[in-house]
Amino acid sequence: MATTFTDLRERRKAIAVFGALGGAGASLGVVLGGLLTQWFGWRWCLLVNVPIALLALLGTLGTPRDRAQRLTGRIDIAGAVLGCGGLTALVYACSQAEAHGWTSPGVLGVLLAGAALLTAFAWWQTRAAAPLLPPRLMRDRRRVASLLAGGALMAGQLSVSLYLTYYLQTVLGWSALASGLGFLPISLVTTATATQLGTRLLPRFGPRVMMTAGLCVSACGLFQLTLLDPDSTYAANVLPALITFSVGMGGSFLAIMTGATSDVPAQDSGIASATVNSAQQMGGSIGSAVFNTVAASAAAAFHGSPRAATLHGFTSAIWIPLVLLLLAAVVTTTLAGHRSTRVYARANTPPRNSSEVKNGQGSGSRGA
């Protein structure tokens, strides 16, 4: 999108639609999951991905040809192993903490292993001839803020999905289908806000204001969820919280994508886009694992009925993504206003010697 839509206004619309569909798709997946679970069984929540993938594959037949210049380069296999291994270890450790505790040797050992792998990954990216994540991309403070904001927002979204799934079915006693339909406002509000509000306000206020405001509004929606009790109703208590959270999420999507992918050469746009998508996925994976662990631990320590214990666990755990959103808002306020475009001054200059390639400034890194 960054290279195809050369007109800035059209690019904003395209990114807004893309971001809105990403957020709405996650919520619509819950609706479809509830429908499939109630009518056909939970296994169809996995099998349904086969026809969806086949449709997407057929859709590629109508995709316009890629007119971008082909660049040569080697694949950073060592970077892929170190980076993916470290992130996988972190997610696994967070998910195992529920059963074994955060201080257990198994959990601490995997956490330390993940941290060591990611440290090695960061070191290797400064040495690799064709780094998987060129260090020059991370010298832009606005991009770093956008990545953190995207991860925090996805952590909040998946935490809300976990929270509401259990709350609607366990506390309110809704069916799987009804619970899925309860998520529909998230899709509608997120899409409308991103495509209508975000595209109009971003040119006026810029990524920093839009990201900061969106994160704060989403945090307000999570705070509303902390006030739920067994006597709360969907229309009076749950729905307003979902609308508030979705307005913030839709309002910040475009700003996050813009801040993460702007001011990069065309040959780096793919890497920048992959980075923000990876940040969102990892934020959601780690955030939901931590949320689930904290919720289960708080529920187990609560003395009361199972229904009350479940609600106590969720209302305690929702503070984790809420704090993450507020911390991300502080980061975006501090960093997102700074543009470090000068780090790309030589991005399009052919390397004069092997040392430039080693520093990640040559054609090898551009083709990664």
Side-chain angles (χ1 to χ4, degrees):
M1 288 185 294
T3 56
T4 302
F5 295 91
T6 55
D7 181 74
L8 186 58
R9 188 173 183 180
E10 292 298 320
R11 185 187 305 170
R12 282 197 296 263
K13 291 181 180 179
I15 293 178
V17 172
F18 174 79
L21 288 177
S27 300
L28 288 175
V30 180
V31 178
L32 181 60
L35 186 150
L36 293 173
T37 300
Q38 184 161 323
W39 289 356
F40 301 103
W42 65 267
R43 288 176 177 83
W44 273 99
C45 293
L46 305 177
L47 295 173
V48 73
N49 292 285
V50 176
I52 293 176
L54 292 176
L55 282 174
L57 186 61
L58 290 175
T60 61
L61 299 177
T63 303
R65 286 185 175 274
D66 186 5
R67 294 173 294 182
Q69 181 183 0
R70 297 295 179 182
L71 299 173
T72 59
R74 291 174 293 175
I75 298 177
D76 184 12
I77 297 179
V81 172
L82 292 172
C84 294
L87 293 174
T88 302
L90 290 183
V91 175
Y92 179 78
C94 292
S95 64
Q96 291 299 303
E98 175 187 350
H100 305 289
W102 290 101
T103 57
S104 67
V107 173
L108 285 178
V110 177
L111 282 175
L112 291 176
L117 287 171
L118 291 178
T119 301
F121 169 78
W123 172 83
W124 174 250
Q125 295 308 285
T126 64
R127 300 294 188 272
L132 185 70
L133 180 60
R136 64 176 178 270
L137 288 178
M138 305 308 294
R139 296 190 187 109
D140 190 324
R141 288 180 286 181
R142 186 172 70 178
R143 179 168 296 105
V144 173
S146 300
L147 295 177
L148 293 175
L153 195 63
M154 190 59 65
Q157 181 184 0
L158 291 188
S159 298
V160 168
S161 297
L162 285 170
Y163 188 121
L164 287 182
T165 298
Y166 285 98
Y167 181 82
L168 296 178
Q169 295 191 45
T170 304
V171 179
L172 297 185
W174 287 19
S175 65
L177 176 58
S179 299
L181 292 174
F183 282 84
L184 198 56
I186 297 180
S187 302
L188 298 176
V189 176
T190 299
T191 303
T193 305
T195 56
Q196 302 301 318
L197 190 64
T199 54
R200 289 173 169 80
L201 295 182
L202 181 62
R204 179 177 300 179
F205 296 107
R208 178 171 63 172
V209 173
M210 291 298 294
M211 277 191 289
T212 303
L215 292 169
C216 291
V217 172
S218 293
C220 291
L222 295 186
F223 178 75
Q224 290 176 269
L225 291 177
T226 66
L227 304 178
L228 296 181
D229 57 48
D231 297 323
S232 298
T233 63
Y234 180 83
N237 306 101
V238 178
L239 184 58
L242 294 185
I243 293 175
T244 303
F245 178 79
S246 301
V247 168
M249 187 166 60
S252 57
F253 261 140
L254 179 57
I256 289 172
M257 294 297 296
T258 300
T261 59
S262 61
D263 300 326
V264 295
Q267 61 266 29
D268 281 347
S269 60
I271 301 176
S273 300
T275 303
V276 68
N277 285 330
S278 299
Q280 290 176 333
Q281 293 299 321
M282 291 314 305
S285 299
I286 296 177
S288 59
V290 173
F291 174 86
N292 199 42
T293 298
V294 173
S297 301
F302 185 79
H303 299 289
S305 65
R307 184 165 172 257
T310 299
L311 182 57
H312 172 76
F314 290 138
T315 53
S316 300
I318 203 66
W319 284 98
I320 301 297
L322 194 159
V323 171
L324 283 178
L325 290 175
L326 293 179
L327 289 176
V330 173
V331 171
T332 56
T333 302
T334 305
L335 299 182
H338 301 277
R339 301 172 62 183
S340 304
T341 56
R342 63 181 180 275
V343 301
Y344 305 107
R346 301 175 62 221
N348 293 312
T349 303
R352 293 190 297 269
N353 52 55
S354 59
S355 64
E356 284 192 9
V357 177
K358 282 292 183 181
N359 290 329
Q361 295 175 334
S363 60
S365 64
R366 293 200 301 270

